[in-house]
Amino acid sequence: MARKQGSHAETTGPKVREAALHLFARHGFAAVSMRQIAKEVGVQAGALYLYTPDKQTLLFDLMQGHMEHLLASWQVPEGTPAAQLEGFCRHHIRYHLDRPELVFIAYMELRNLESENFAVIEGLRKRYEDQLEGILRAGQASGAFAVADTKIATLAIIAMLTGVNTWYREGGRLARSDVEGIYWDMVRKSVSA
Amino acid sequence: MARKQGSHAETTGPKVREAALHLFARHGFAAVSMRQIAKEVGVQAGALYLYTPDKQTLLFDLMQGHMEHLLASWQVPEGTPAAQLEGFCRHHIRYHLDRPELVFIAYMELRNLESENFAVIEGLRKRYEDQLEGILRAGQASGAFAVADTKIATLAIIAMLTGVNTWYREGGRLARSDVEGIYWDMVRKSVSA
DNA sequence: CCGCTATTTGAACAGGTGTTCAATTCGCCT
DNA sequence: AGGCGAATTGAACACCTGTTCAAATAGCGG
């Protein structure tokens, strides 16, 4: 046997990435085999290598795509530091709740990246953190905020906001906008003067 | 060949748990083989099964031991809710900075637990969260705190505090007591009335 | 120094790993 | 209708996986 009915690179390629996304998120990169991914796509393992050079690259592409899309999805707007901070918090929560699998992978699978790939993802992550730190520094300078250390405050806020993904489930007690509001309220007070 | 020189169950047993701890933390449960653990201990793979029934139990025992020790290490003291909250925050940071590998494993390897084991660990985790939520509820009732939702505030605070493990390195810019103070300051304000 | 038990080896089992590639078939263009 | 290239198979490679167990040796009490 060889080529299958209805086979096209434009459909199989995305299917491979999607299957990898779901399986990596559910079971973890190391616990998922190329044959499992192939089975989910409906293809033999060898065919995957038409769409990725290897398993590592499959992981890296998912993470890099996520981080670059995250960075492209928001810029610091004009306005007061407080308004900028609110925009950041709401966007962070919205964006993260929209793609829990990618977020989970980007956080949990860092240690499975080869060192060069790791450096790339860390660079992107740093750029994201720098946006928040810039806001905090501006607020600190203007007297709107009072944080002891902008670097730590940055990491603390991001950790707190990203934590929403560990418990939020669609159709639960709270709507997304409620969640946004509750977290923003805590962040606002935590940096207040 | 058979028994080795200087071999004693009391020394080999802990060595197995320690090797598993280091290797699971560095590479992840799924990526570490029993033969790697055995090599670190200085023993053949078969010998590990004198000290654990299987690989899964090795992971579970590490996580259960960690969570139970965490619960035993602190009780809510007498005092105002604010003082209780400060005690919780400072203890959480201190405890977590003292055993980064266990904390990392207990968080990252949840998905590698079989469902019964998972339920046990989740139960312990819930008991820990309940301590913090009790403090927040008391403060809310007395008017000392103003949080929109004590459950969310609990998870947000724990996520924020636990985040310290992702960046803190011994011998860095800040001493542990500085870190404690900075985080406590943010938490205090975030729940303030 | 003997004998007993605690401790470990090393081979074996049945299967799984990522990856490559010649052979084969499908879809499309002329 | 024919032929060509895109898409896929399936077998093979070399090795690793968790786990079991008979056989063998080390330590120790008498």
Side-chain angles (χ1 to χ4, degrees):
Chain A
M1 294 141 215
R3 183 169 186 174
K4 287 175 75 181
Q5 288 196 10
S7 63
H8 290 284
E10 304 102 63
T11 59
T12 309
K15 268 199 205 169
V16 169
R17 266 171 273 276
E18 256 199 55
L21 173 65
H22 297 320
L23 289 171
F24 289 168
R26 184 151 20 242
H27 307 292
F29 175 76
V32 172
S33 73
M34 294 300 271
R35 283 170 182 82
Q36 283 176 58
I37 299 172
K39 192 172 188 181
E40 181 103 346
V41 175
V43 110
Q44 293 293 325
L48 298 180
Y49 290 86
L50 295 167
Y51 303 99
T52 184
D54 50 34
K55 194 188 174 192
Q56 163 79 200
T57 305
L58 200 45
L59 174 63
F60 174 68
D61 285 349
L62 286 173
M63 295 176 69
Q64 188 184 35
H66 168 63
M67 290 306 298
E68 274 172 354
H69 191 257
L70 170 63
L71 280 167
S73 68
W74 195 75
Q75 275 99 230
V76 182
E78 298 293 321
T80 66
Q84 292 174 336
L85 183 58
E86 178 171 6
F88 181 92
C89 290
R90 291 189 182 273
H91 178 265
H92 184 97
I93 289 180
R94 227 173 288 158
Y95 192 93
H96 281 63
L97 285 183
D98 275 343
R99 23 186 94 61
E101 292 183 322
L102 275 170
V103 168
F104 197 62
I105 289 173
Y107 184 67
M108 301 286 275
E109 304 299 352
L110 279 169
R111 68 172 145 199
N112 287 306
L113 289 176
E114 288 162 9
S115 61
E116 292 171 46
N117 292 339
F118 180 81
V120 172
I121 301 299
E122 276 302 291
L124 293 169
R125 183 179 300 273
K126 183 101 185 48
R127 279 177 51 198
Y128 185 67
E129 291 169 4
D130 284 347
Q131 292 192 17
L132 175 54
E133 199 184 354
I135 296 171
L136 294 180
R137 270 208 281 256
Q140 181 77 0
S142 77
F145 304 154
V147 292
D149 186 301
T150 55
K151 187 69 203 157
I152 294 183
T154 298
L155 297 171
I157 289 171
I158 288 180
M160 178 167 143
L161 295 178
T162 306
V164 74
N165 274 64
T166 64
W167 62 267
Y168 186 84
R169 295 296 170 263
E170 217 64 48
R173 181 165 61 90
L174 295 159
R176 276 147 185 267
S177 54
D178 298 333
V179 177
E180 274 178 40
I182 292 170
Y183 274 92
W184 161 235
D185 199 49
M186 290 186 73
V187 171
R188 180 181 54 75
K189 289 197 282 183
S190 74
V191 301
S192 66
Chain B
M1 294 139 217
R3 183 167 187 178
K4 286 175 76 181
Q5 288 196 7
S7 63
H8 290 284
E10 305 102 62
T11 58
T12 309
K15 268 198 204 171
V16 169
R17 267 172 273 276
E18 256 199 54
L21 172 65
H22 298 321
L23 290 171
F24 289 167
R26 185 154 15 246
H27 306 294
F29 175 75
V32 172
S33 73
M34 294 300 269
R35 283 171 181 83
Q36 282 175 59
I37 297 172
K39 192 172 187 181
E40 182 102 345
V41 176
V43 111
Q44 293 293 326
L48 298 180
Y49 290 84
L50 295 168
Y51 303 100
T52 184
D54 50 33
K55 194 189 175 192
Q56 164 78 199
T57 306
L58 200 45
L59 173 62
F60 175 68
D61 286 349
L62 287 173
M63 293 176 70
Q64 188 184 35
H66 168 62
M67 288 307 297
E68 273 173 356
H69 191 257
L70 171 63
L71 280 167
S73 68
W74 195 74
Q75 275 100 230
V76 182
E78 299 292 322
T80 65
Q84 292 175 336
L85 183 58
E86 177 170 7
F88 181 93
C89 289
R90 289 188 184 273
H91 179 264
H92 185 97
I93 288 179
R94 228 173 288 156
Y95 192 92
H96 282 62
L97 285 184
D98 275 343
R99 24 186 93 63
E101 291 182 324
L102 276 170
V103 168
F104 196 63
I105 289 173
Y107 185 68
M108 301 286 274
E109 305 298 352
L110 280 170
R111 69 171 146 199
N112 287 307
L113 289 177
E114 287 161 10
S115 61
E116 292 170 46
N117 292 339
F118 179 81
V120 172
I121 301 300
E122 276 302 290
L124 293 169
R125 185 180 297 274
K126 182 102 186 46
R127 280 177 52 198
Y128 185 66
E129 291 169 4
D130 285 347
Q131 291 194 16
L132 175 54
E133 198 183 355
I135 296 171
L136 294 181
R137 271 208 281 255
Q140 180 78 2
S142 77
F145 303 155
V147 291
D149 186 300
T150 55
K151 186 70 203 157
I152 294 183
T154 297
L155 297 172
I157 289 171
I158 289 181
M160 179 167 142
L161 294 178
T162 306
V164 72
N165 274 64
T166 64
W167 62 266
Y168 186 84
R169 295 295 171 262
E170 216 65 48
R173 180 164 61 89
L174 295 159
R176 277 146 183 268
S177 55
D178 298 331
V179 176
E180 272 179 42
I182 292 170
Y183 274 92
W184 161 236
D185 199 51
M186 289 186 75
V187 170
R188 180 181 55 75
K189 290 197 281 182
S190 74
V191 300
S192 66

PDB file of all heavy atoms in Angstrom, chain A residues 72-88:
ATOM      1  N   ALA A  72       2.592  38.925  19.425  1.00  0.00           N
ATOM      2  CA  ALA A  72       1.967  39.721  18.353  1.00  0.00           C
ATOM      3  C   ALA A  72       0.556  40.153  18.726  1.00  0.00           C
ATOM      4  O   ALA A  72      -0.011  41.060  18.117  1.00  0.00           O
ATOM      5  CB  ALA A  72       1.939  38.917  17.049  1.00  0.00           C
ATOM      6  N   SER A  73      -0.033  39.525  19.736  1.00  0.00           N
ATOM      7  CA  SER A  73      -1.449  39.745  20.016  1.00  0.00           C
ATOM      8  C   SER A  73      -1.721  40.979  20.870  1.00  0.00           C
ATOM      9  O   SER A  73      -2.877  41.314  21.111  1.00  0.00           O
ATOM     10  CB  SER A  73      -2.031  38.516  20.733  1.00  0.00           C
ATOM     11  OG  SER A  73      -1.467  38.403  22.029  1.00  0.00           O
ATOM     12  N   TRP A  74      -0.687  41.612  21.343  1.00  0.00           N
ATOM     13  CA  TRP A  74      -0.914  42.752  22.229  1.00  0.00           C
ATOM     14  C   TRP A  74       0.279  43.684  22.256  1.00  0.00           C
ATOM     15  O   TRP A  74       1.422  43.241  22.272  1.00  0.00           O
ATOM     16  CB  TRP A  74      -1.201  42.256  23.654  1.00  0.00           C
ATOM     17  CG  TRP A  74      -1.802  43.298  24.555  1.00  0.00           C
ATOM     18  CD1 TRP A  74      -3.078  43.754  24.537  1.00  0.00           C
ATOM     19  CD2 TRP A  74      -1.134  44.002  25.607  1.00  0.00           C
ATOM     20  NE1 TRP A  74      -3.264  44.700  25.502  1.00  0.00           N
ATOM     21  CE2 TRP A  74      -2.090  44.876  26.182  1.00  0.00           C
ATOM     22  CE3 TRP A  74       0.158  43.995  26.124  1.00  0.00           C
ATOM     23  CZ2 TRP A  74      -1.784  45.730  27.241  1.00  0.00           C
ATOM     24  CZ3 TRP A  74       0.473  44.842  27.179  1.00  0.00           C
ATOM     25  CH2 TRP A  74      -0.501  45.697  27.735  1.00  0.00           C
ATOM     26  N   GLN A  75       0.032  44.988  22.238  1.00  0.00           N
ATOM     27  CA  GLN A  75       1.087  45.957  22.505  1.00  0.00           C
ATOM     28  C   GLN A  75       0.633  46.875  23.627  1.00  0.00           C
ATOM     29  O   GLN A  75      -0.570  47.107  23.771  1.00  0.00           O
ATOM     30  CB  GLN A  75       1.387  46.814  21.271  1.00  0.00           C
ATOM     31  CG  GLN A  75       2.359  46.165  20.315  1.00  0.00           C
ATOM     32  CD  GLN A  75       1.631  45.504  19.162  1.00  0.00           C
ATOM     33  OE1 GLN A  75       1.878  44.365  18.842  1.00  0.00           O
ATOM     34  NE2 GLN A  75       0.697  46.218  18.537  1.00  0.00           N
ATOM     35  N   VAL A  76       1.602  47.391  24.358  1.00  0.00           N
ATOM     36  CA  VAL A  76       1.268  48.325  25.430  1.00  0.00           C
ATOM     37  C   VAL A  76       0.576  49.539  24.825  1.00  0.00           C
ATOM     38  O   VAL A  76       1.139  50.195  23.951  1.00  0.00           O
ATOM     39  CB  VAL A  76       2.538  48.771  26.195  1.00  0.00           C
ATOM     40  CG1 VAL A  76       2.146  49.697  27.337  1.00  0.00           C
ATOM     41  CG2 VAL A  76       3.297  47.565  26.712  1.00  0.00           C
ATOM     42  N   PRO A  77      -0.654  49.830  25.247  1.00  0.00           N
ATOM     43  CA  PRO A  77      -1.392  50.958  24.668  1.00  0.00           C
ATOM     44  C   PRO A  77      -0.977  52.278  25.303  1.00  0.00           C
ATOM     45  O   PRO A  77      -0.309  52.306  26.338  1.00  0.00           O
ATOM     46  CB  PRO A  77      -2.843  50.621  25.034  1.00  0.00           C
ATOM     47  CG  PRO A  77      -2.735  49.886  26.325  1.00  0.00           C
ATOM     48  CD  PRO A  77      -1.421  49.140  26.290  1.00  0.00           C
ATOM     49  N   GLU A  78      -1.390  53.368  24.686  1.00  0.00           N
ATOM     50  CA  GLU A  78      -1.229  54.691  25.306  1.00  0.00           C
ATOM     51  C   GLU A  78      -2.110  54.752  26.552  1.00  0.00           C
ATOM     52  O   GLU A  78      -3.125  54.049  26.633  1.00  0.00           O
ATOM     53  CB  GLU A  78      -1.705  55.778  24.330  1.00  0.00           C
ATOM     54  CG  GLU A  78      -0.910  55.844  23.024  1.00  0.00           C
ATOM     55  CD  GLU A  78       0.530  56.291  23.243  1.00  0.00           C
ATOM     56  OE1 GLU A  78       0.750  57.190  24.090  1.00  0.00           O
ATOM     57  OE2 GLU A  78       1.443  55.732  22.587  1.00  0.00           O
ATOM     58  N   GLY A  79      -1.756  55.577  27.494  1.00  0.00           N
ATOM     59  CA  GLY A  79      -2.595  55.731  28.685  1.00  0.00           C
ATOM     60  C   GLY A  79      -1.795  55.729  29.966  1.00  0.00           C
ATOM     61  O   GLY A  79      -0.565  55.671  29.943  1.00  0.00           O
ATOM     62  N   THR A  80      -2.478  55.795  31.084  1.00  0.00           N
ATOM     63  CA  THR A  80      -1.807  55.772  32.378  1.00  0.00           C
ATOM     64  C   THR A  80      -1.266  54.373  32.642  1.00  0.00           C
ATOM     65  O   THR A  80      -1.771  53.393  32.089  1.00  0.00           O
ATOM     66  CB  THR A  80      -2.788  56.118  33.511  1.00  0.00           C
ATOM     67  OG1 THR A  80      -3.762  55.068  33.602  1.00  0.00           O
ATOM     68  CG2 THR A  80      -3.498  57.440  33.249  1.00  0.00           C
ATOM     69  N   PRO A  81      -0.248  54.281  33.483  1.00  0.00           N
ATOM     70  CA  PRO A  81       0.261  52.953  33.853  1.00  0.00           C
ATOM     71  C   PRO A  81      -0.838  52.039  34.378  1.00  0.00           C
ATOM     72  O   PRO A  81      -0.851  50.844  34.061  1.00  0.00           O
ATOM     73  CB  PRO A  81       1.297  53.276  34.926  1.00  0.00           C
ATOM     74  CG  PRO A  81       1.797  54.633  34.570  1.00  0.00           C
ATOM     75  CD  PRO A  81       0.597  55.353  34.032  1.00  0.00           C
ATOM     76  N   ALA A  82      -1.776  52.594  35.144  1.00  0.00           N
ATOM     77  CA  ALA A  82      -2.843  51.756  35.685  1.00  0.00           C
ATOM     78  C   ALA A  82      -3.702  51.181  34.563  1.00  0.00           C
ATOM     79  O   ALA A  82      -4.060  49.996  34.584  1.00  0.00           O
ATOM     80  CB  ALA A  82      -3.696  52.573  36.654  1.00  0.00           C
ATOM     81  N   ALA A  83      -4.014  52.017  33.573  1.00  0.00           N
ATOM     82  CA  ALA A  83      -4.807  51.542  32.440  1.00  0.00           C
ATOM     83  C   ALA A  83      -4.035  50.500  31.637  1.00  0.00           C
ATOM     84  O   ALA A  83      -4.592  49.506  31.173  1.00  0.00           O
ATOM     85  CB  ALA A  83      -5.193  52.722  31.560  1.00  0.00           C
ATOM     86  N   GLN A  84      -2.727  50.732  31.479  1.00  0.00           N
ATOM     87  CA  GLN A  84      -1.892  49.777  30.759  1.00  0.00           C
ATOM     88  C   GLN A  84      -1.852  48.439  31.488  1.00  0.00           C
ATOM     89  O   GLN A  84      -1.945  47.375  30.883  1.00  0.00           O
ATOM     90  CB  GLN A  84      -0.470  50.330  30.616  1.00  0.00           C
ATOM     91  CG  GLN A  84      -0.376  51.543  29.697  1.00  0.00           C
ATOM     92  CD  GLN A  84       1.026  52.153  29.687  1.00  0.00           C
ATOM     93  OE1 GLN A  84       1.800  51.987  30.642  1.00  0.00           O
ATOM     94  NE2 GLN A  84       1.349  52.847  28.610  1.00  0.00           N
ATOM     95  N   LEU A  85      -1.733  48.523  32.797  1.00  0.00           N
ATOM     96  CA  LEU A  85      -1.668  47.297  33.596  1.00  0.00           C
ATOM     97  C   LEU A  85      -2.987  46.525  33.515  1.00  0.00           C
ATOM     98  O   LEU A  85      -2.994  45.299  33.384  1.00  0.00           O
ATOM     99  CB  LEU A  85      -1.348  47.641  35.053  1.00  0.00           C
ATOM    100  CG  LEU A  85      -1.173  46.456  36.006  1.00  0.00           C
ATOM    101  CD1 LEU A  85      -0.074  45.525  35.524  1.00  0.00           C
ATOM    102  CD2 LEU A  85      -0.861  46.953  37.424  1.00  0.00           C
ATOM    103  N   GLU A  86      -4.076  47.256  33.556  1.00  0.00           N
ATOM    104  CA  GLU A  86      -5.369  46.581  33.436  1.00  0.00           C
ATOM    105  C   GLU A  86      -5.487  45.891  32.078  1.00  0.00           C
ATOM    106  O   GLU A  86      -5.936  44.738  31.993  1.00  0.00           O
ATOM    107  CB  GLU A  86      -6.525  47.579  33.614  1.00  0.00           C
ATOM    108  CG  GLU A  86      -7.881  46.903  33.449  1.00  0.00           C
ATOM    109  CD  GLU A  86      -9.057  47.793  33.839  1.00  0.00           C
ATOM    110  OE1 GLU A  86      -8.832  48.988  34.135  1.00  0.00           O
ATOM    111  OE2 GLU A  86     -10.193  47.280  33.843  1.00  0.00           O
ATOM    112  N   GLY A  87      -5.058  46.592  31.038  1.00  0.00           N
ATOM    113  CA  GLY A  87      -5.093  45.989  29.704  1.00  0.00           C
ATOM    114  C   GLY A  87      -4.262  44.723  29.642  1.00  0.00           C
ATOM    115  O   GLY A  87      -4.697  43.700  29.098  1.00  0.00           O
ATOM    116  N   PHE A  88      -3.074  44.779  30.224  1.00  0.00           N
ATOM    117  CA  PHE A  88      -2.198  43.599  30.225  1.00  0.00           C
ATOM    118  C   PHE A  88      -2.865  42.434  30.941  1.00  0.00           C
ATOM    119  O   PHE A  88      -2.907  41.316  30.429  1.00  0.00           O
ATOM    120  CB  PHE A  88      -0.862  43.936  30.900  1.00  0.00           C
ATOM    121  CG  PHE A  88       0.104  42.780  30.919  1.00  0.00           C
ATOM    122  CD1 PHE A  88       1.031  42.612  29.897  1.00  0.00           C
ATOM    123  CD2 PHE A  88       0.067  41.843  31.947  1.00  0.00           C
ATOM    124  CE1 PHE A  88       1.905  41.539  29.902  1.00  0.00           C
ATOM    125  CE2 PHE A  88       0.939  40.765  31.955  1.00  0.00           C
ATOM    126  CZ  PHE A  88       1.864  40.610  30.930  1.00  0.00           C
TER     127      PHE A  88
END
